[in-house]
Amino acid sequence: LDLRLRTNAVGQGNWQGLGGGSASASASSAGPAALPDLAGVVIRDSRVSYQDMVASGVDLRIGRVAAGVAIPVNVKLTLARGAGAQPITLGGRFDVTLDPAARRYQLAALALGGTAGPGPHLAPVAWDVAAPRVSVDLGAQTLNAPALTVQFAGAHLSLSASGSRIADAPAVTGSFMLAAVAPRDLMRQLGITVPATRDPKALSKLAAAGAFSYGGHALSASGLDIQLDDSTLRGSAALTDLHTRASRFALTLDRIDLDRYRAPEPPAPGRRAGRAGQSTALPTDLLRKLDTHGSFALGSATIAGLQLTQLQLALTAQDGLVHIGITRAGLYGGQD
């Protein structure tokens, strides 16, 4: 198969009008389309393109196709966009169950993987996606994905999610866990410049876990447990209105040595010259739009050699007014 899809200057596709009749009219009058009963479909060594997106080396094997039965699918291809772009390879299998009459759909035994090029002159990195089951019931408006794993380069993320009213007022809850990864190594693999730090071992470990929920134009995370090197951040945070970016948070950080993450000290003359005459303008437009309420607690921190302990801070910002209240703080073991 060599399938070449194109659109013209007004957005009309070269596939439109094929098959005769109006697709929208037939769909509206016939209701859910019935699946044909096929023994199987095999496509070998093929090519499919859409504008400058090209899938080459396409091997697709589909088992028996019928409504309400698990249809095995095996696929392998290489995807590239534009000349000189690094390709993405994809291969794997899954079972798909389609029941248009009942409006129920399911993926099972999903296992896809391959490689992706993060950028020019960078080695391709491995990726894979796996899930034992993902189901959608449009009649009941439910989504269920009890165990989904995504791996990209050295990062490994596990997710679970369930949803309700997914068609008219989506609400989704679930959990996530990012296995420990070295940010330094990951940034190098992805072609991101690793910041210079005074401690060469900084940014050696990142892990995260928690629960999330989305609904009513709000997104929240609770039970957060985020580890960066020797520091642990726990608590909750939420965007209570995704339109206005209003936020709420309650976070606790056990300890952190910020000096580890500072840039190395420049030579003394350069440091003095760099600081002379510097000024920083307040982001007043941003502050006027800020709508946030929260609390932050810190066990201990080192900042420019200053040792700060038992900090408790409350932040309120609304209608251009920002109030920061420090209810407790200690320096070098003392309390205020």
Side-chain angles (χ1 to χ4, degrees), residues 70 209 246 263 303:
I303 309 171

Coordinates of all heavy atoms in Angstrom, one line a residue, residues 70 209 246 263 303:
A70 N -12.5 -9.6 21.0 CA -11.2 -9.0 21.1 C -10.5 -9.2 19.8 O -10.4 -10.3 19.3 CB -10.4 -9.7 22.2
A209 N 5.2 11.0 43.8 CA 4.0 10.2 43.8 C 2.9 11.0 44.4 O 3.1 12.0 45.1 CB 4.2 8.9 44.7
A246 N -6.5 30.6 39.4 CA -6.5 30.7 40.8 C -6.0 29.4 41.4 O -6.3 28.3 40.9 CB -8.0 30.9 41.3
A263 N 24.9 28.6 41.2 CA 26.0 28.6 40.2 C 27.3 28.7 40.9 O 27.4 29.4 41.9 CB 25.8 29.7 39.1
I303 N 20.8 29.0 52.9 CA 20.8 29.9 51.8 C 21.9 30.9 52.0 O 22.0 31.7 53.0 CB 19.4 30.7 51.8 CG1 18.3 29.7 51.9 CG2 19.4 31.6 50.6 CD1 16.9 30.4 52.0

